[in-house]
Amino acid sequence: MKKRPIGKTILYVILIVYAVITLVPFLWALSSSFKSLGEIVSGSINFIPKNFTIDNYKEIFSREPLFGRWLFNSLFIAVVGTFLNLLFNSMAGYALARLSFPGKKSIFIIILAVLMIPFQVTLIPNFLILKEFGWLNTYQGMIIPGAVNATFIFMMRQFFINFPKEVEEAAAIDGLGKFGTFFRIVLPLAKPALAAQTIFVFMAFWNDFMRPLIILSDESMFTLPLGLNSFKGQFISYWNYIMAASMVFTLPILILYAFFNRYFVKGIKFTGEK
């Protein structure tokens, strides 16, 4: 029997420990979503509910009438925002990788500089601009400022730099122009990069708390991360409802990752490959 190298064994041990550390809080939250509030605050740490109940899931929709609206808001903003990012980031990345135009290097340097600016620095300027446009408490105010992402423009540029030119040359011979080549040939073959971008961008929109906190004030426009605060009161926090709402909040991410999983590993490897 062939012995496993010590280094690989240590790596597996570290990964298993990391997986346990990551999974235990999630499993506890999942278990708590089926417990009563009294059982959660009793202090006992048990992963199997003593009195299993699904009333928490029923209650979050009946106790908070706007919960369904918050879920719709989050889905709409995340889906539309992700679609716009896939379109614009890919087009910008392709232009920087394949086209020649004045100021190309300067634009690329500016994009790299933007990567170094923390998003917190731009929150107040974004708020003032949206206020001037009258976009506070609107979907466009939540989507448009995040419709382009410098990180993923850079990533798509790296992908398209390594894209085989022969494919584009063959498309040109067949009579396709730049737009036709991009949308009909290049973009369909960029699935690994697009899948990775989809997961990261969707998660960024879906989990965003700071931007909705600043831009939204009308409860009917709240997203789920902001709306979850309604289950925390001044004197008591309804952790059973918070855990149930958190599981509903987590479900779309799990579905998205399961759907794009086969492309995900390829997508996160493309930046340095030739």
Side-chain angles (χ1 to χ4, degrees):
M1 183 176 178
K2 190 177 180 180
K3 291 185 178 179
R4 191 185 302 275
I6 296 177
K8 186 171 290 188
T9 301
I10 294 174
L11 177 61
Y12 284 149
V13 171
I14 293 173
L15 291 175
I16 291 172
V17 172
Y18 178 77
V20 170
I21 294 173
T22 304
L23 286 174
V24 165
F26 174 77
L27 293 176
W28 185 87
L30 178 62
S31 171
S32 298
S33 69
F34 298 104
K35 297 177 182 177
S36 64
L37 178 61
E39 186 176 350
I40 294 175
V41 300
S42 65
S44 61
I45 302 177
N46 57 306
F47 287 91
I48 301 177
K50 295 177 181 178
N51 298 305
F52 186 90
T53 178
I54 61 171
D55 289 344
N56 297 330
Y57 289 91
K58 297 178 181 178
E59 191 68 19
I60 58 176
F61 287 96
S62 59
R63 184 178 182 274
E64 181 50 74
L66 289 175
F67 187 84
R69 178 62 185 267
W70 297 340
L71 181 60
F72 169 79
N73 291 341
S74 290
L75 281 172
F76 181 79
I77 291 170
V79 169
V80 175
T82 301
F83 172 78
L84 293 178
N85 268 269
L86 291 176
L87 178 63
F88 296 142
N89 296 340
S90 300
M91 292 178 69
Y94 183 76
L96 291 171
R98 284 289 191 262
L99 305 183
S100 297
F101 53 89
K104 175 180 174 179
K105 290 185 178 179
S106 299
I107 292 174
F108 182 61
I109 292 173
I110 291 172
I111 290 173
L112 293 179
V114 169
L115 294 177
M116 304 175 191
I117 301 175
F119 83 95
Q120 293 89 345
V121 175
T122 62
L123 284 176
I124 300 304
N126 278 338
F127 174 83
L128 296 176
I129 292 172
L130 293 176
K131 184 179 179 181
E132 288 296 319
F133 285 170
W135 284 3
L136 297 179
N137 279 311
T138 62
Y139 290 122
Q140 60 266 34
M142 286 295 301
I143 295 171
I144 299 302
V148 178
N149 188 296
T151 300
F152 296 105
I153 291 176
F154 174 76
M155 292 176 67
M156 295 307 296
R157 173 188 178 272
Q158 296 304 105
F159 177 83
F160 290 129
I161 282 178
N162 300 325
F163 193 84
K165 291 185 177 181
E166 294 79 8
V167 176
E168 298 171 81
E169 292 170 356
I173 293 174
D174 289 339
L176 286 178
K178 289 294 183 182
F179 278 96
T181 300
F182 177 74
F183 285 107
R184 297 178 61 180
I185 305 297
V186 176
L187 209 56
L189 294 176
K191 288 180 180 178
L194 294 176
Q197 187 181 171
T198 297
I199 293 174
F200 288 126
V201 173
F202 186 91
M203 286 181 62
F205 275 104
W206 186 257
N207 294 326
D208 193 8
F209 178 80
M210 187 62 68
R211 192 194 304 272
L213 181 65
I214 293 175
I215 296 175
L216 305 177
S217 57
D218 185 355
E219 284 193 5
S220 64
M221 289 297 299
F222 281 5
T223 57
L224 270 180
L226 200 57
L228 286 178
N229 274 335
S230 66
F231 297 111
K232 296 179 66 176
Q234 182 178 359
F235 302 105
I236 183 173
S237 294
Y238 295 94
W239 292 109
N240 51 334
Y241 301 147
I242 293 175
M243 293 299 103
S246 298
M247 291 301 103
V248 175
F249 179 71
T250 305
L251 187 60
I253 296 294
L254 295 178
I255 294 174
L256 183 71
Y257 182 77
F259 184 77
F260 288 105
N261 182 48
R262 57 178 176 168
Y263 300 112
F264 183 70
V265 175
K266 294 180 182 178
I268 60 177
K269 289 170 57 181
F270 69 80
T271 53
E273 291 183 348
K274 286 285 183 180

